[in-house]
Amino acid sequence: MENREDRYLIFLALTALVFVLFISTLPVALAFSLHSNRLTINETQITTNISDEACPSIYGDRVVWQDLRNGKNWDIYMYNLSTQEETWITNSSFDHRNPVIYGNRIVWEDTCNSYQNADICMYNLTTSTETQITTNMSGQYAPDIYEDRIVWEDTRNGGGWDKEGNRTGNWDIYMYDLSTSTEYQITTNESMQEYPAIYEDRIVWQDSRNGNLDIYLYDLSTSRETQITTDPAAQYSPAIYGDRIIWTDARNGKADIYMYNVSTSVESQITASGSVDYGPAVYGDRIVWVDYRKGWENLDIYMYDLFTSTETQITTNESNQWGELDIWGNRIMWRDHRNGNNDIYVCTVLGKDAKSEVEPEIRSEVNPASGLEVNPEPEREESTSKNITGFEIISYHRFAWCVLDRRR
C-alpha cells in the first residue's frame, strides 16, 4: 500500500515538474516566434553630393543612376555595394539618361546627336567598352535589357511631339539582340506603343491603339502579340518578372496596381488605396511603388509581398521618396529629396513579413552632405529604432567613398 502511495506521489511530483518546465519555456518559444516573423530594413544613402541624381537601376551589388554633379548635362554613375566603389561611366557635354543595368552591361539613352535623335548606347563593364546600339536618324528612348536583348521605344515610323511637348504619331517598340547583332521591330500598329519592359522571351508595353492605354505582351518564342488589359480606363507603366505582369490601373477612378499571371490567365488587384504615384517595379514575390496616401509632399515607397499577402511601408521620412525606383532581390532603390536635393537611396529588406500591414519608424538620420544633425537628433551608427510588432528598422549606413574616375 505504501509502495502504491509512494509511486502516486512520485507521479504527481514528476507531473508538477514537467508542468513547471513547460511554463518556463513559453516565453522563449514566444520570443523566437516573434523574432522569426520580424521584417528588418537597412536603409543606405548612396549619393551625398549636393546636385541631383535620378533614374536608379540595380542588378546584384551594382547600382546605376543619372547624375547632374558635373554641370548642366546628365552623366551615368555606378556604385558597387560590395566594394563601396563609385565609377563614373560617361563623361561628355551632352545628356545620358534613363540607365538600366543587367549583369556587366549598362544601357541608356544618349543625346550626342540631339534629344530628337537620341540613341541607345551600352557600356560593358568587363571590357570597358562603350557601344552605340542604334544609328537610325530618329529618336530611341526608355531602354530595358535582359541578357542579350535590349528593347526601347522608337520614333522612326512617324513618332514625335506637338508644340506643347506631348507625344504624337506612331511610336513603336524595337529590340536588338547582342548575340546576333540583329535589330527587330516588335510592334507595327500605327499608334503609340511606349515604355517597354523585357523578361526572358516576353516584352510588355503600354499601347494606345484602342483609344485608351492598354497593356500588351509580345512573346519572342511564339512570335505572338497578346492584349493583356481590356478595361476602358487607362492601364500604364508595365513591368514584368517571370509569369507576372504588373501595371498601374485607373479603372476605379484612382491609381492602383494590378497584376496578370500569364500561366494562369488570372488578373488580380494588388492595391486598393488608389494612391499609386509612380511605378510599379517587381522582383520575385515583391512589388514596389511610390505612394501618395500621406500627401503629395510626403511621397513614400511601399512594398507588397505576394507570398504573404502583406503590404509594407518602406520609407517613413517626411519628405518625398519619389520618381523612379527599382528592386532586385531584397534590395529596393529610389530617388529621395530629404536632403534638399534628389539623392539615391537603397534599402535591404530582411526577414519574413508577419502577414499584417506594418509601418516602420526611423529615429536616426544624418545629412551626409553637411554632417549636420537632422531633426530628430541622430543616434550612434547602426542604432536600432523603436520596435513595432513584427517589424524592426536599423538606421542606414553611410558608405565611405572610393571614387574611380574613368575619364575617356
Side-chain angles (χ1 to χ4, degrees):
M1 185 68 179
E2 292 181 355
N3 289 337
R4 181 179 299 177
E5 290 179 350
D6 290 341
R7 287 196 298 269
Y8 181 72
L9 291 174
I10 292 173
F11 173 77
L12 289 178
L14 289 175
T15 301
L17 178 62
V18 169
F19 180 76
V20 170
L21 291 174
F22 174 74
I23 293 297
S24 66
T25 61
L26 280 180
V28 177
L30 180 59
F32 176 79
S33 176
L34 290 175
H35 181 73
S36 67
N37 284 333
R38 297 171 80 176
L39 190 64
T40 303
I41 294 180
N42 298 328
E43 184 180 275
T44 304
Q45 183 177 350
I46 299 297
T47 62
T48 59
N49 68 82
I50 60 174
S51 64
D52 283 325
E53 292 82 33
C55 300
S57 176
I58 182 169
Y59 185 93
D61 291 329
R62 292 165 171 165
V63 298
V64 296
W65 66 91
Q66 66 183 53
D67 198 301
L68 208 56
R69 74 180 69 174
N70 301 310
K72 296 181 179 180
N73 62 287
W74 293 98
D75 283 312
I76 308 301
Y77 278 74
M78 183 188 76
Y79 188 84
N80 190 310
L81 295 168
S82 62
T83 65
Q84 302 181 13
E85 294 177 341
E86 182 184 85
T87 306
W88 190 355
I89 300 296
T90 63
N91 177 26
S92 55
S93 59
F94 46 85
D95 283 337
H96 314 78
R97 303 183 180 186
N98 296 322
V100 182
I101 184 170
Y102 186 96
N104 292 321
R105 293 160 173 164
I106 305 170
V107 296
W108 66 87
E109 60 186 52
D110 199 297
T111 64
C112 60
N113 297 313
S114 81
Y115 185 73
Q116 303 294 329
N117 183 19
D119 287 301
I120 305 302
C121 289
M122 181 187 75
Y123 186 82
N124 190 311
L125 294 166
T126 302
T127 62
S128 301
T129 303
E130 183 177 303
T131 304
Q132 183 174 339
I133 300 299
T134 63
T135 57
N136 187 278
M137 299 297 293
S138 59
Q140 291 84 41
Y141 311 92
D144 195 19
I145 181 172
Y146 186 90
E147 293 184 348
D148 291 326
R149 292 162 172 168
I150 304 170
V151 295
W152 65 88
E153 57 186 28
D154 201 300
T155 66
R156 72 182 67 180
N157 301 313
W161 292 267
D162 61 20
K163 294 180 179 180
E164 286 72 38
N166 301 310
R167 293 187 175 195
T168 61
N170 180 18
W171 292 64
D172 282 306
I173 307 301
Y174 278 73
M175 185 189 78
Y176 186 84
D177 192 321
L178 294 166
S179 64
T180 62
S181 302
T182 305
E183 183 182 86
Y184 300 89
Q185 181 176 353
I186 300 300
T187 64
T188 57
N189 185 277
E190 295 181 359
S191 60
M192 199 175 297
Q193 291 83 42
E194 308 167 281
Y195 306 115
I198 182 170
Y199 187 91
E200 295 181 344
D201 291 325
R202 293 165 174 161
I203 304 170
V204 295
W205 65 89
Q206 67 182 47
D207 198 303
S208 65
R209 72 182 69 180
N210 302 311
N212 64 293
L213 290 176
D214 285 307
I215 306 301
Y216 275 72
L217 163 71
Y218 186 84
D219 193 319
L220 295 165
S221 65
T222 62
S223 301
R224 181 181 178 184
E225 181 183 90
T226 304
Q227 182 177 351
I228 299 299
T229 63
T230 58
D231 189 274
Q235 291 85 41
Y236 51 96
S237 299
I240 183 170
Y241 187 95
D243 291 330
R244 294 161 172 165
I245 303 171
I246 61 171
W247 64 88
T248 303
D249 199 302
R251 71 182 67 181
N252 300 315
K254 294 184 178 180
D256 280 305
I257 293 172
Y258 279 69
M259 181 183 74
Y260 182 83
N261 191 308
V262 177
S263 63
T264 63
S265 301
V266 174
E267 182 184 88
S268 306
Q269 183 175 352
I270 301 300
T271 68
S273 64
S275 54
V276 175
D277 175 61
Y278 195 93
V282 59
Y283 188 98
D285 290 323
R286 288 170 169 171
I287 301 171
V288 294
W289 69 93
V290 178
D291 198 293
Y292 66 87
R293 71 184 66 180
K294 294 189 176 181
W296 290 104
E297 299 301 321
N298 185 15
L299 300 175
D300 284 304
I301 309 300
Y302 279 73
M303 180 185 77
Y304 187 84
D305 193 310
L306 294 166
F307 180 74
T308 61
S309 301
T310 303
E311 181 181 277
T312 303
Q313 183 180 346
I314 298 298
T315 62
T316 60
N317 185 277
E318 294 182 357
S319 59
N320 277 335
Q321 290 78 50
W322 60 345
E324 313 81 19
L325 77 167
D326 199 10
I327 181 171
W328 198 93
N330 62 349
R331 289 169 171 161
I332 304 169
M333 290 192 69
W334 65 88
R335 178 159 52 104
D336 199 300
H337 201 257
R338 72 183 67 180
N339 303 312
N341 64 295
N342 289 307
D343 283 307
I344 303 302
Y345 277 69
V346 64
C347 76
T348 303
V349 181
L350 302 172
K352 296 183 180 296
D353 297 339
K355 292 195 176 182
S356 62
E357 186 170 321
V358 289
E359 180 176 331
E361 179 180 347
I362 300 178
R363 295 193 305 165
S364 178
E365 299 176 359
V366 172
N367 185 340
S370 63
L372 298 178
E373 295 180 356
V374 180
N375 187 34
E377 184 177 353
E379 299 176 345
R380 67 182 185 275
E381 288 289 323
E382 299 189 60
S383 62
T384 303
S385 73
K386 177 181 178 181
N387 288 339
I388 298 176
T389 302
F391 203 89
E392 182 181 27
I393 293 290
I394 296 178
S395 61
Y396 65 83
H397 306 271
R398 291 175 296 284
F399 285 156
W401 290 92
C402 179
V403 179
L404 302 182
D405 186 353
R406 183 178 44 75
R407 302 170 186 263
R408 295 192 303 277

